[in-house]
Amino acid sequence: MLKIGPIEMKNQVVLAPMAGVCNPAFRLIAKEFGAGLVCAEMVSDKAILHKNEKSLSMLYVDEREKPLSLQIFGGEKETLVEAAKFVDKNTNADIIDINMGCPVPKITKCDAGARWLLDPNKIYDMVSAVVDEVDKPVTVKMRIGWDEEHIYAVENAQAVERAGGAAVAVHGRTRVQMYEGTADWNIIREVKQAVGIPVIGNGDVKTPQDAKRMLDEIGVDGVMIGRAALGNPWMLYRTIHYLETAELLPDPTPREKIDVCMIHLDRLIKLKGENVAVREMRKHAAWYLKGLRGNGKIRDQINQFETREDVSSTLYAYIEELEAKMAEKSASVV
Ligand SMILES: Cc1cc2nc3c(=O)[nH]c(=O)nc-3n(C[C@H](O)[C@H](O)[C@H](O)COP(=O)(O)O)c2cc1C
């Protein structure tokens, strides 16, 4: 089982941290669909220290989401340490994670995110300073390297371990790859073989079978799922069930997808108010509808959602039409 410091997860499936996605509304759904550990979206260390209201609200954790990992990012040891101390003392998160994977130039040009990957000594120095100052376990989420010429995944993970880090999550891409190409799982295996702390494998786990391969063939302690769970928390549930029983559960019905989409929206409304929530929901609605027949027809309507009523009436009207077509088709087969 996956155990990070004293925190024991009930399974090996981890929801990846995703900015703009992994707030309490979606994290709770992921938890209800069985995720052993959920990770929150990254929060800026400096914004925490400046008591930025929006950033502080991103540190909110619902008891039902636990165990949960809160992620901070920054490019300087001193501010990361202070932000980690704040998270340690003022939140009920179980784990403090440090982002060393974000590839976005706005972040890396401040020496944050994936920029750390170029210097294992700097990683050691920073992580040990954080570990010294906090009680919660400290983990690092990293990419395998900066570019093909600078793949220091093993050295970087060893630096985290020596510094007292409790686990590493490794996304099998370089910073230069962004989200393109394929994740290199072989390097994740090399990391697993080189350190004693738990290693969570990440990148391109698109199906329950991929998750099993990651665990069996790469030997990691946990498997982290990101994009495949967008609009599809069933991916988490189906993966956990498959790992436990080798049975592949069917995909949800279109109506089930919309029902969960509406639960998601209602939780977002509670968190952020209808105006912001509905706008944020536009991208999620498109993800929930992914793969459903004829969904292109309502794409434009999704992008104009303003109210909860817009979302609900459009999505359920679409589903009713889809269900009628499916019933017609099965009647003609009989
Ligand atoms: C929309 C989006 C937002 C992301 N935000 C974060 C983030 O805040 N922190 C982080 O460490 N990784 C972030 N990631 C990277 C994911 O955690 C993960 O490493 C990556 O998507 C690869 O996993 P996957 O192939 O399962 O999607 C983000 C990815 C996506 C798609």
Side-chain angles (χ1 to χ4, degrees):
M1 250 337 104
L2 178 59
K3 189 168 180 228
I4 297 177
I7 314 292
E8 269 182 69
M9 274 36 89
K10 64 177 184 207
N11 58 53
Q12 295 168 290
V13 175
V14 179
L15 173 71
M18 287 185 281
V21 174
C22 292
N23 50 43
F26 186 62
R27 294 188 319 237
L28 189 53
I29 289 177
K31 209 27 135 336
E32 288 164 349
F33 277 81
L37 175 66
V38 294
C39 300
E41 54 192 330
M42 62 183 195
V43 186
S44 150
D45 59 351
K46 293 210 165 85
I48 294 173
L49 300 179
H50 292 142
K51 303 276 189 292
N52 174 288
E53 209 179 306
K54 186 167 167 234
S55 301
L56 292 185
S57 75
M58 290 162 82
L59 302 178
Y60 169 73
V61 176
D62 185 316
E63 273 300 309
R64 293 170 294 172
E65 299 178 65
K66 287 160 70 67
L68 173 139
S69 163
L70 272 181
Q71 187 185 67
I72 53 175
F73 73 91
E76 288 165 41
K77 175 173 87 175
E78 292 71 22
T79 48
L80 273 169
V81 169
E82 289 308 312
K85 278 162 68 178
F86 184 90
V87 171
D88 195 49
K89 297 285 167 296
N90 297 286
T91 77
N92 56 344
D94 299 278
I95 295 165
I96 300 173
D97 188 47
I98 299 171
N99 181 309
M100 293 190 196
C102 185
V104 178
K106 198 175 87 182
I107 304 290
T108 56
K109 78 169 193 282
C110 306
D111 292 337
R115 191 75 198 174
W116 285 99
L117 302 173
L118 286 165
D119 191 344
N121 293 327
K122 239 179 107 183
I123 293 178
Y124 171 78
D125 193 36
M126 183 272 284
V127 174
S128 49
V130 173
V131 168
D132 280 351
E133 294 289 340
V134 299
D135 293 327
K136 297 184 198 290
V138 176
T139 60
V140 169
K141 174 156 178 286
M142 55 172 64
R143 286 180 177 243
I144 52 174
W146 180 260
D147 58 19
E148 253 187 75
E149 276 75 52
H150 301 87
I151 296 188
Y152 304 145
V154 166
E155 295 86 336
N156 289 339
Q158 285 172 330
V160 172
E161 178 170 43
R162 267 188 293 117
V168 284
V170 186
H171 175 192
R173 284 190 176 79
T174 62
R175 182 264 165 179
V176 165
Q177 279 181 287
M178 306 293 276
Y179 292 92
E180 305 294 322
T182 45
D184 187 337
W185 289 11
N186 288 323
I187 295 179
I188 303 177
R189 183 193 282 114
E190 286 173 25
V191 171
K192 172 62 197 166
Q193 288 167 355
V195 296
I197 53 176
V199 176
I200 298 168
N202 171 238
D204 296 344
V205 175
K206 296 176 187 154
T207 63
Q209 295 95 317
D210 289 342
K212 186 163 168 52
R213 273 198 307 118
M214 174 72 94
L215 290 166
D216 290 352
E217 294 173 24
I218 308 303
V220 285
D221 304 274
V223 56
M224 180 179 271
I225 300 174
R227 288 164 297 174
L230 294 173
N232 188 12
W234 294 268
M235 167 60 185
L236 303 166
Y237 177 71
R238 293 175 75 238
T239 298
I240 294 155
H241 188 80
Y242 181 72
L243 293 175
E244 281 169 4
T245 66
E247 179 196 15
L248 263 183
L249 292 173
D251 277 321
T253 64
R255 185 171 290 272
E256 281 171 316
K257 287 193 174 194
I258 300 310
D259 288 344
V260 170
C261 178
M262 290 307 299
I263 293 173
H264 189 165
L265 173 59
D266 285 335
R267 287 185 178 157
L268 267 185
I269 291 174
K270 261 203 194 137
L271 274 179
K272 306 188 175 199
E274 182 170 1
N275 208 0
V276 175
V278 169
R279 275 155 212 278
E280 214 172 294
M281 204 59 203
R282 293 173 184 170
K283 65 182 180 209
H284 291 284
W287 286 328
Y288 278 100
L289 293 179
K290 210 173 145 195
L292 297 185
R293 218 174 343 131
N295 63 7
K297 273 194 306 196
I298 58 166
R299 194 57 40 96
D300 288 344
Q301 282 166 276
I302 290 178
N303 288 329
Q304 283 157 25
F305 285 159
E306 299 281 353
T307 64
R308 182 189 187 280
E309 176 53 29
D310 291 343
V311 183
S312 168
S313 57
T314 307
L315 296 186
Y316 282 112
Y318 161 73
I319 286 302
E320 265 149 40
E321 203 182 306
L322 186 62
E323 285 175 346
K325 278 194 194 132
M326 283 159 61
E328 227 172 77
K329 200 172 162 205
S330 62
S332 70
V333 170
V334 175

